[in-house]
Amino acid sequence: LATGPRQNNGIFYEIRTYDIKPAKMKEFLEMVNKNLHFRTAHSELVGFWYSELGAMNKVLHIWKYDNFAHRTAVRHALANDKDWQGKFISAALPLIEKQDNEVAYLVPWCQLGKPPKEGGVYEWVTFQMKPGGPALWGEAFRAAINAHLNTGYTSLIGVFHTEYGLLNRVHVLWWNESPDQRAAGRHSAHEDARVVAAVRNSVGFLESQQNVLLIPLQCSPLK
């Protein structure tokens, strides 16, 4: 019941969320910026962020894979990469309190995008949907997304739905120039009749939602 239609290829995205020990956050981020090139030598990184609002001491990173065999091969190579294991993993693990991962596909009507310029902030919005997948909620959800896009205050980077992890979950990644620009845009959107109507049509499929404001690391391809 979780998937329904999706894009016509095997590409998926692994979403990793780590809780970092509060006193070790600065050290962890510096270590990532310094050593992540050992990891990106093996597979494509979409983005790497730390939380600013909505959560504390968390990092989120997204990795792209062609298929599950590709991921298996990458994980095997990483386990045998002495630089990655010795210069990052052994030092980073004591700084991490908790790790979580999900596998997600882009919804059928979304391609992974890029921000119009560097230097902004990202908003990661998680929707817990009723069972059924995009076959059930896809069109209404797409209309709500497009209604926000049509206001022009925000840029859509991607819409993902889970295949492994908590099912019937959708993540939407937005980009804005700044938190204040987002706040002003949201205020205007809430007064836009098109947005209000589209959201009303989609909330019947929704069980809960939450969001986090994210700041990209220096090493993140999405900045």
Side-chain angles (χ1 to χ4, degrees), residues 10-216:
I11 292 173
F12 67 83
Y13 299 85
E14 183 175 4
I15 302 162
R16 287 182 163 246
T17 307
Y18 298 168
D19 289 8
I20 309 302
K21 294 179 180 179
K24 300 296 184 179
M25 189 65 169
K26 183 176 183 292
E27 181 181 351
F28 181 83
L29 296 180
E30 290 175 348
M31 192 180 304
V32 172
N33 277 318
K34 180 180 178 181
N35 295 305
L36 197 65
H37 63 282
F38 294 121
R39 174 62 183 84
T40 54
H42 293 278
S43 66
E44 182 179 347
L45 173 67
V46 174
F48 204 119
W49 303 265
Y50 66 88
S51 61
E52 179 70 12
L53 297 171
M56 298 182 70
N57 304 305
K58 285 183 180 289
V59 297
L60 184 147
H61 38 125
I62 303 175
W63 299 86
K64 180 181 178 181
Y65 293 101
D66 296 334
N67 49 47
F68 289 97
H70 178 209
R71 181 184 183 276
T72 298
V74 169
R75 300 303 297 176
H76 178 77
L78 287 169
N80 292 282
D81 187 323
K82 294 182 179 179
D83 284 331
W84 176 242
Q85 294 295 328
K87 296 179 180 179
F88 183 80
I89 293 296
S90 59
L93 284 179
L95 313 182
I96 301 172
E97 289 190 333
K98 180 183 177 182
Q99 294 176 294
D100 185 46
N101 75 334
E102 297 172 293
V103 166
Y105 293 102
L106 287 171
V107 295
W109 40 268
C110 176
Q111 298 296 320
L112 192 64
K114 293 183 178 181
K117 61 182 180 180
E118 294 185 0
V121 296
Y122 291 79
E123 182 183 8
W124 181 254
V125 190
T126 299
F127 300 87
Q128 187 62 41
M129 311 299 289
K130 292 181 178 179
L136 175 67
W137 48 257
E139 289 306 312
F141 195 84
R142 181 181 185 179
I145 294 294
N146 285 337
H148 284 86
L149 278 175
N150 290 338
T151 64
Y153 80 90
T154 188
S155 297
L156 179 65
I157 305 300
V159 181
F160 309 85
H161 65 103
T162 55
E163 183 76 9
Y164 285 96
L166 185 58
L167 298 181
N168 305 301
R169 176 182 278 188
V170 185
H171 300 290
V172 182
L173 183 60
W174 300 96
W175 177 91
N176 291 279
E177 289 188 12
S178 70
D180 285 319
Q181 184 259 351
R182 176 201 174 271
R186 291 286 293 177
H187 180 78
S188 297
H190 290 165
E191 297 179 347
D192 188 312
R194 298 167 300 173
V195 174
V196 173
V199 170
R200 282 177 177 170
N201 289 334
S202 67
V203 293
F205 303 106
L206 179 65
E207 293 189 345
S208 66
Q209 65 188 91
Q210 65 183 69
N211 68 341
V212 183
L213 186 73
L214 299 173
I215 308 297

